[in-house]
Amino acid sequence: MAVARDLVGASLIADPGSPDEVRARIVEVEAYLGEDDPASHAHRGPTPRSSIMFGPPGHLYVYLSYGVHHCANVVCGADGTAAAVLLRAAVVDSGAVVVRARRATPAGDDGLLSGPGNLCRGLAITAADNGLDLCSGGRIRLERSPDVPVLSVGPRVGISRAADLPLRFWWTGHPAVSGRLPTP
DNA sequence: CGCAGGATTTGCT
DNA sequence: GCAAATCCTGCGG
């Protein structure tokens, strides 16, 4: 959860050095815990899919949602402890042309990576990137934020269990935050 | 081996 | 605002 706060404002670099390089800053995340969190895929202990969350931190955990969209997580617990942070939204810093070509959407630059599935599509993250090490210069790289953005905290979205836990963090007032705010 | 459900997005009623 | 699209994973028989 402390890691989740640090991830907001961090830079995500896809395909570094290639003509398709894309840089984006994370503006919205959700923390998922381990076996104590009913909403986490690690809730029922290690499985072939969730085992990556029990591994060492700094790795990418990608899964397919509703058979249509990919979602990217950053494993952040110690080796043996399941914990991950879902990347929900980011804002394109450079490479917007590449992202727009992949997204094919009329949305403005702020909305190109808004939403977990859209973020993965824009950065070309697929199941093939599952288990990737974000710290050792792989296809996807992560850089810590030089500054500390102002954060807001709220309940998680899109899940049916334990949705009331305040484990969602977003860049306060940022236009790229996905519009799904808690329904009052 | 078969079945039910899900950390979503998009388009139409 | 609601329902469909679509496939992999986990669980039961």
Side-chain angles (χ1 to χ4, degrees):
Chain A
M1 170 156 140
V3 183
R5 280 198 308 258
D6 282 354
L7 280 176
V8 178
S11 294
L12 210 52
I13 302 103
D15 298 301
S18 91
D20 288 346
E21 174 175 306
V22 175
R23 295 188 202 195
R25 280 191 299 271
I26 300 170
V27 298
E28 182 187 4
V29 300
E30 263 177 29
Y32 283 84
L33 310 179
E35 298 163 69
D36 293 333
D37 185 355
S40 173
H41 287 162
H43 177 220
R44 292 180 180 71
T47 64
R49 179 177 64 166
S50 66
S51 63
I52 181 67
M53 288 170 61
F54 288 83
H59 285 240
L60 200 60
Y61 167 52
V62 183
Y63 71 95
L64 189 60
S65 177
Y66 291 85
V68 182
H69 305 280
H70 291 279
C71 296
N73 302 251
V74 176
V75 177
C76 60
D79 196 353
T81 302
V85 176
L86 169 69
L87 307 179
R88 288 196 61 89
V91 59
V92 177
D93 192 37
S94 69
V97 177
V98 179
V99 175
R100 190 171 289 281
R102 293 202 270 243
R103 291 274 287 113
T105 176
D109 284 5
D110 287 336
L112 282 179
L113 299 176
S114 184
N118 291 332
L119 188 147
C120 285
R121 247 192 301 176
L123 298 182
I125 296 175
T126 68
D129 297 310
N130 195 23
L132 201 146
D133 190 348
L134 293 168
C135 301
S136 67
R139 197 182 77 77
I140 311 290
R141 198 184 306 171
L142 195 58
E143 280 182 13
R144 286 185 60 87
S145 169
D147 47 38
V148 181
V150 180
L151 297 191
S152 295
V153 186
R156 295 182 289 188
V157 186
I159 53 180
S160 51
R161 294 147 85 99
D164 52 326
L165 297 177
L167 293 176
R168 180 171 178 240
F169 302 88
W170 67 91
W171 192 318
T172 305
H174 200 290
V177 172
S178 58
R180 307 189 159 184
L181 294 174
T183 47

